[in-house]
Amino acid sequence: MIEFVFTLDYEIYGNGSGLLNDLVYGPARRLTELFRNRSVRFVAFVEVAELEKIETYGTDPTIDLVRRQIEEFHRDGFEVGLHLHPQWCNARYDRGAWILDYREYNLCTLPRNRISQIVDGSLACIRQLVNCSGFTPLSFRAGNWLFQPTETAASVLAEKGIRVDSSVFKGGTLRSHHLDYRAALRNSYYWPFGEDVNVPDPAGRWVEVPIYTEMVPFWKMATSKRLGIKNSAGANGQAIAQKWSRIRDRLRFHCPLKLDFCRMTLNELTSMMATIIREDRKDPETFRPIVSIGHTKDLTDFDTVDSLLSFLKQNKIAISTFQNIYPKLAGPTLGSADVEPLGQPTHAVADRDTPGFTA
Ligand SMILES: [Zn+2]
């Protein structure tokens, strides 16, 4: 059985450039409409560190609409997951530009007490954003997919109640950050883990549901939609250097192509799904949660998303969130009492008078 999970990374450019209205609020509003019209929901991975700084420094007037949008997501059954780019945590705004702290780029390489501090701050912030003091996100996606080395960050996040990760893209590498998800190619559609996100561990408190990838010949990666040529306005020297580093990561015969509903063409999306559907017909008993990724900043082609939604409907593939599929993911061991209530919308304890998150 296949269940399809749309995940949307809700953020501006990683270097701090771009406006919330153009890169976050506006595209998310259109996507939300599209999903509401079909009575389906997506997972919004909200990058809270940047929103907190934008609010503190008062750099973008759309922040109020963004806050309202996130609260609405939560109220209306869209899942709010935690996404973190820790380079924002020490950010300051100086003469019209953000100065980010790239020493803290990878949460996983920071000391345990710093990770705790960042996670606590992010959870406080996300609770204020959804206007619900008892809220704990069920799901997490690391900034730039960096969930290695896993052990310390995973243990801190699990202590706070987060249970599902969707940072892995099987077969992926990022040399500049020593990231290597090639070992995960051996794993199934999802797996429990503890100390190492690549290694299934039935005793672990987490479940990994990776961003779906297919290994393709490297030349297939270079389409204009995927290279983001249309959206290169926010690029500067550093972004170009990062792009080059990624191109080097792809100089292998086969590379992982992420199931990206913003960067793939409709034909690519439906062909990838057709392969999964064929596998499923042969073995319908296996549960296949298929995670697709998109970014608000890449979201311009709504026709493709709408056509993909039609395709999924025609093929009777349910569209779900992690909250909805968690009982199936967790199974008899992870689904035990200590995690049962987490991730459910906790309206009962909502504190509607919670002030702004910088108050
Ligand atoms: Zn991100």
Side-chain angles (χ1 to χ4, degrees):
M1 184 183 48
I2 301 171
E3 289 199 46
F4 197 95
V5 182
F6 280 88
T7 63
L8 179 72
D9 290 11
Y10 187 92
E11 63 192 8
I12 57 172
Y13 289 115
N15 62 4
S17 64
L19 293 171
L20 284 173
N21 189 51
D22 302 343
L23 300 179
V24 179
Y25 176 76
R29 189 172 52 80
R30 286 191 63 184
L31 192 73
T32 307
E33 271 166 31
L34 214 68
F35 274 62
R36 274 205 191 107
N37 288 342
R38 291 175 177 269
S39 305
V40 289
R41 297 294 181 257
F42 57 78
V43 179
F45 274 119
V46 174
E47 205 293 292
V48 291
E50 69 193 68
L51 298 181
E52 187 167 19
K53 289 295 173 186
I54 289 169
E55 170 105 0
T56 303
Y57 284 88
T59 56
D60 194 322
T62 310
I63 189 72
D64 290 336
L65 290 172
V66 161
R67 292 166 56 87
R68 241 176 284 161
Q69 189 171 54
I70 296 167
E71 190 187 343
E72 226 173 82
F73 285 157
H74 180 60
R75 224 180 22 228
D76 201 18
F78 291 89
E79 180 174 338
V80 176
L82 178 65
H83 184 44
L84 259 183
H85 281 279
Q87 72 264 27
W88 279 95
C89 295
N90 287 329
R92 53 197 176 82
Y93 194 71
D94 191 20
R95 279 164 283 179
W98 285 106
I99 297 156
L100 306 179
D101 185 356
Y102 289 100
R103 292 168 306 176
E104 295 199 333
Y105 194 71
N106 182 355
L107 183 75
C108 297
T109 56
L110 303 178
R112 189 183 182 94
N113 59 353
R114 180 60 180 148
I115 297 174
S116 277
Q117 213 175 29
I118 289 175
V119 171
D120 284 343
S122 307
L123 290 176
C125 181
I126 209 165
R127 284 173 183 138
Q128 292 197 333
L129 284 167
V130 300
N131 210 355
C132 179
S133 57
F135 174 73
T136 298
L138 175 71
S139 54
F140 173 74
R141 174 168 292 149
N144 216 25
W145 309 288
L146 295 169
F147 209 27
Q148 276 181 333
T150 312
E151 188 176 1
T152 311
S155 121
V156 172
L157 287 157
E159 274 168 24
K160 312 292 176 189
I162 297 167
R163 288 291 180 270
V164 174
D165 178 67
S166 189
S167 305
V168 170
F169 57 112
K170 286 184 185 180
T173 57
L174 289 172
R175 269 160 230 274
S176 48
H177 296 286
H178 310 289
L179 182 87
D180 192 343
Y181 290 144
R182 284 175 296 183
L185 283 166
R186 290 190 288 265
N187 302 349
S188 188
Y189 288 88
Y190 64 98
W191 57 92
F193 74 94
E195 295 175 0
D196 183 345
V197 72
N198 271 338
V199 180
D201 174 3
R205 285 187 283 182
W206 284 86
V207 184
E208 177 62 34
V209 194
I211 299 157
Y212 189 80
T213 56
E214 191 179 290
M215 298 303 282
V216 299
F218 69 91
W219 50 265
K220 276 202 175 181
M221 303 295 287
T223 67
S224 59
K225 195 170 181 184
R226 210 147 30 243
L227 291 173
I229 285 165
K230 205 173 160 188
N231 276 341
S232 59
N236 61 9
Q238 193 186 5
I240 291 162
Q242 275 173 3
K243 232 169 217 182
W244 178 239
S245 168
R246 278 179 199 168
I247 288 167
R248 279 177 48 231
D249 286 320
R250 290 170 184 168
L251 290 179
R252 296 187 273 148
F253 188 68
H254 280 91
C255 306
L257 174 61
K258 295 185 197 86
L259 181 58
D260 188 323
F261 63 89
C262 297
R263 293 192 162 203
M264 285 168 81
T265 63
L266 181 62
N267 189 32
E268 287 176 322
L269 289 161
T270 53
S271 311
M272 203 184 266
M273 283 312 297
T275 310
I276 303 166
I277 292 167
R278 272 196 301 275
E279 271 173 42
D280 190 61
R281 288 201 177 130
K282 277 187 250 162
D283 167 26
E285 295 307 309
T286 299
F287 179 47
R288 295 174 167 81
I290 302 298
V291 174
S292 175
I293 187 173
H295 288 77
T296 50
K297 60 196 172 193
D298 291 337
L299 191 52
T300 52
D301 180 1
F302 293 91
D303 288 344
T304 290
V305 180
D306 201 37
S307 302
L308 176 61
L309 289 168
S310 295
F311 173 88
L312 294 171
K313 192 174 178 194
Q314 278 158 19
N315 284 281
K316 299 186 173 52
I317 295 172
I319 294 164
S320 272
T321 60
F322 295 119
Q323 282 173 352
N324 291 337
I325 63 172
Y326 188 67
K328 283 184 217 160
L329 297 172
T333 47
L334 280 165
S336 61
D338 76 312
V339 296
E340 188 269 324
L342 294 170
Q344 300 305 316
T346 43
H347 301 289
V349 286
D351 175 4
R352 296 283 161 205
D353 296 317
T354 306
F357 51 76
T358 55

